[in-house]
Amino acid sequence: MSQAPSWDPVEASVGYALKQAQSALHQAMDEALRPLGLTVAQYVCLELLGRSPGLTNAGLARSAFVTRQSMNLVLRGLQRRGLLSRPAVAQRGRALPSRLTRDGARALRDATEAVRVVEERMLAPLGAASRASLRECLAACAAALTG
Amino acid sequence: MSQAPSWDPVEASVGYALKQAQSALHQAMDEALRPLGLTVAQYVCLELLGRSPGLTNAGLARSAFVTRQSMNLVLRGLQRRGLLSRPAVAQRGRALPSRLTRDGARALRDATEAVRVVEERMLAPLGAASRASLRECLAACAAALTG
DNA sequence: CAGATGTCAGAAATACTGATATGG
DNA sequence: CCCATATCAGTAGTTCTGACATCT
């Protein structure tokens, strides 16, 4: 699995380029996070909780674009490793808000740095203006499909 | 699963926007292809064979960013449905080049149109210049990570 | 009642790993 | 020998679907 595709990338659609870039990023993140003992899904969960403490399983699943079932397994794994804590019983409703523990915050710090390096490598060919434009165009595309 | 994420999208990284757009596109393509009895993976396989007749399983897997095992299952399913044909024995080497059948070409025509509509909806907010820039930036990002 | 949440279970598709064999 | 290809087997993680119960 090392030979380049024979298909002319010039004819590639935006959708194909989108999948290509996302696949490459996922693989690069996976390789960067493996030494830290984290999967991409686990990192995303920690990152979301770092930015929005108290998110519930359903909220995390939506933000990470995975199912509630998958995120539930991620949460249990991280909780078992002591990287996050959830109340045993719901305070109100059925929501069980998760929060990072001390160890979880430390693991997130290292993982964030590793991912930052990967993203910087990905964006190296682009200037500041192109980066902002890329992010805005991607957000607009997503909004056009979901809205 | 219908409430919008509470996380501020302005702080989102390019990587997050990339995943967001790719996830939205995949879901939209899945919905558009379902009435045609095709999965996204099956459509990608047909599209690649339509552009490059004679591609092998390994080549298709690379171009579709999936494993050979997964692509092999897709190929068998499409072959069983009579949408493509593969020689029973290899002519040279171990390669088994696949080609679309008459039915496969017809199915591809409908699927391509359905996906074209989806992609047009995704790119509707963008002008021609932005679309070209987006595609080039994505290709550059992928190349920066894999190269 | 509608909607959001958490949970459980089964089926399906996919990926990863390792191994074998063939051919250039 | 090195590499690409095809294939098989086992393991694991993910998705999908449907269902049920609880709480606002």
Side-chain angles (χ1 to χ4, degrees):
Chain A
M1 300 227 290
S2 59
Q3 192 168 320
S6 57
W7 181 35
D8 188 356
V10 176
E11 294 183 1
S13 66
V14 175
Y16 186 83
L18 191 55
K19 175 62 181 175
Q20 186 178 26
Q22 198 277 327
S23 177
L25 176 59
H26 190 279
Q27 183 178 346
M29 287 177 63
D30 186 84
E31 294 172 355
L33 291 170
R34 181 165 303 157
L36 304 179
L38 290 176
T39 65
V40 175
Q42 288 171 336
Y43 157 72
V44 172
C45 181
L46 293 179
E47 187 71 49
L48 290 170
L49 283 177
R51 303 195 186 216
S52 300
L55 272 180
T56 66
N57 176 39
L60 287 166
R62 278 194 303 271
S63 295
F65 311 105
V66 299
T67 62
R68 286 175 296 174
Q69 290 82 349
S70 297
M71 182 54 72
N72 203 320
L73 294 179
V74 173
L75 279 178
R76 291 187 180 188
L78 293 176
Q79 186 176 16
R80 181 170 41 80
R81 287 168 55 179
L83 299 184
L84 60 85
S85 63
R86 277 199 296 180
V89 295
Q91 295 293 350
R92 64 174 190 278
R94 297 208 70 192
L96 298 175
S98 299
R99 293 180 181 279
L100 296 182
T101 62
R102 193 68 65 86
D103 288 348
R106 190 179 322 119
L108 172 58
R109 206 164 39 234
D110 297 339
T112 297
E113 175 59 19
V115 171
R116 192 194 64 77
V117 171
V118 170
E119 197 162 312
E120 178 55 38
R121 182 156 57 94
M122 176 180 76
L123 298 175
L126 276 54
S130 292
R131 299 183 185 193
S133 173
L134 176 59
R135 182 170 50 78
E136 292 166 6
C137 286
L138 289 172
C141 287
L145 287 174
T146 57
Chain B
M1 303 226 291
S2 60
Q3 191 169 317
S6 57
W7 182 34
D8 188 356
V10 174
E11 294 183 359
S13 66
V14 174
Y16 187 82
L18 190 55
K19 176 61 181 175
Q20 186 178 26
Q22 197 278 326
S23 177
L25 176 59
H26 189 279
Q27 182 178 346
M29 286 177 62
D30 185 84
E31 293 172 356
L33 291 170
R34 182 164 301 160
L36 304 180
L38 290 175
T39 65
V40 176
Q42 288 171 335
Y43 157 72
V44 172
C45 181
L46 294 179
E47 187 72 48
L48 290 170
L49 283 177
R51 303 195 185 214
S52 301
L55 271 181
T56 65
N57 176 39
L60 287 166
R62 278 193 303 270
S63 296
F65 310 105
V66 298
T67 62
R68 287 175 295 176
Q69 288 81 350
S70 297
M71 182 55 72
N72 202 320
L73 294 178
V74 173
L75 278 178
R76 292 187 180 187
L78 293 174
Q79 187 175 17
R80 181 170 42 82
R81 288 168 56 178
L83 299 184
L84 61 85
S85 62
R86 276 199 297 179
V89 295
Q91 295 294 350
R92 64 173 190 279
R94 299 208 68 192
L96 298 175
S98 299
R99 293 180 181 279
L100 296 182
T101 62
R102 193 69 63 86
D103 287 349
R106 190 179 321 117
L108 173 58
R109 207 162 40 235
D110 297 340
T112 297
E113 174 58 19
V115 171
R116 192 195 63 78
V117 171
V118 169
E119 197 163 312
E120 178 54 38
R121 183 156 56 94
M122 176 181 75
L123 298 175
L126 276 53
S130 293
R131 299 183 185 193
S133 171
L134 175 59
R135 182 169 51 76
E136 293 167 5
C137 285
L138 289 173
C141 287
L145 287 174
T146 58

